[in-house]
């Protein structure tokens, strides 16, 4: 439930910023900053029932960086495979950038969960 709430919050921030005209990659970075703070606190307290510590925070941030880089690779790969192919004229928007964000979120979430479970919160 924490993962779903975190993913939803991150997605809402990213999409709201993109819809407001903020660059896709800047929106992505800002959305993940919000998600990282939310995720560390709630995952520590509920998902993994681990005590908060500075060491866990550092490990968590390393995992977030790794997951974020994988997220960016997934977004870039999706956009290379589907460049400007899903245009919604009535909204004057390219839908593929939103789908690319969702693709990146999936990779980020799976990578983050596995690394947090096996390394950070054990």
């Amino acid at each position: 439930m924490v993962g779903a709430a975190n993913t939803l919050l991150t997605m809402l921030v990213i999409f709201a910023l993109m819809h407001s005209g903020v660059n896709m990659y800047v929106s992505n970075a800002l959305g993940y900053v919000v998600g990282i703070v939310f995720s560390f606190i709630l995952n520590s307290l509920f998902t993994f029932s681990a005590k908060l510590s500075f060491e866990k925070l550092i490990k968590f941030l390393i995992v977030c960086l790794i997951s974020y880089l994988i997220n960016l690779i997934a977004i870039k790969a999706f956009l290379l495979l589907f460049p400007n192919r899903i245009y919604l004229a009535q909204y004057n928007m390219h839908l593929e950038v939103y789908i690319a964000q969702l693709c990146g979120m999936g990779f980020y979430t799976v990578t983050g969960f596995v690394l947090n479970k096996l390394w950070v919160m054990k």
Side-chain angles (χ1 to χ4, degrees), residues 38-115:
F38 183 79
S39 179
F40 180 69
I41 294 168
L42 292 185
N43 276 315
S44 295
L45 298 174
F46 300 112
T47 306
F48 301 109
S49 300
K51 292 179 75 175
L52 295 174
S53 71
F54 184 72
E55 178 185 356
K56 281 188 181 11
L57 175 62
I58 296 303
K59 287 180 173 181
F60 183 80
L61 292 174
I62 291 168
V63 166
C64 289
L65 177 61
I66 292 166
S67 300
Y68 186 70
L69 292 174
I70 289 171
N71 158 67
L72 291 177
I73 291 168
I75 289 170
K76 192 67 172 171
F78 184 91
L79 292 173
L80 287 172
L81 291 171
F82 304 100
N84 298 322
R85 293 192 179 164
I86 311 168
Y87 182 71
L88 298 177
Q90 69 268 30
Y91 299 109
N92 191 29
M93 65 186 266
H94 290 275
L95 191 58
E96 72 274 355
V97 295
Y98 291 90
I99 297 171
Q101 291 286 3
L102 291 172
C103 178
M105 282 180 196
F107 279 92
Y108 180 97
T109 300
V110 170
T111 303
F113 180 82
V114 169
L115 292 177

Side-chain angles (χ1 to χ4, degrees), residues 10 13-18 21-34 68 71-72 75 101:
T10 302
V13 171
I14 291 170
F15 287 0
L17 290 170
M18 285 174 52
V22 177
N23 173 279
M24 181 179 90
Y25 292 105
V26 172
S27 298
N28 185 274
L30 293 173
Y32 277 97
V33 167
V34 171
Y68 186 70
N71 158 67
L72 291 177
I75 289 170
Q101 291 286 3

Side-chain angles (χ1 to χ4, degrees), residues 40 56 59-60 63 115-122:
F40 180 69
K56 281 188 181 11
K59 287 180 173 181
F60 183 80
V63 166
L115 292 177
N116 277 308
K117 182 176 177 73
L118 297 177
W119 184 50
V120 178
M121 301 292 182
K122 66 176 200 160

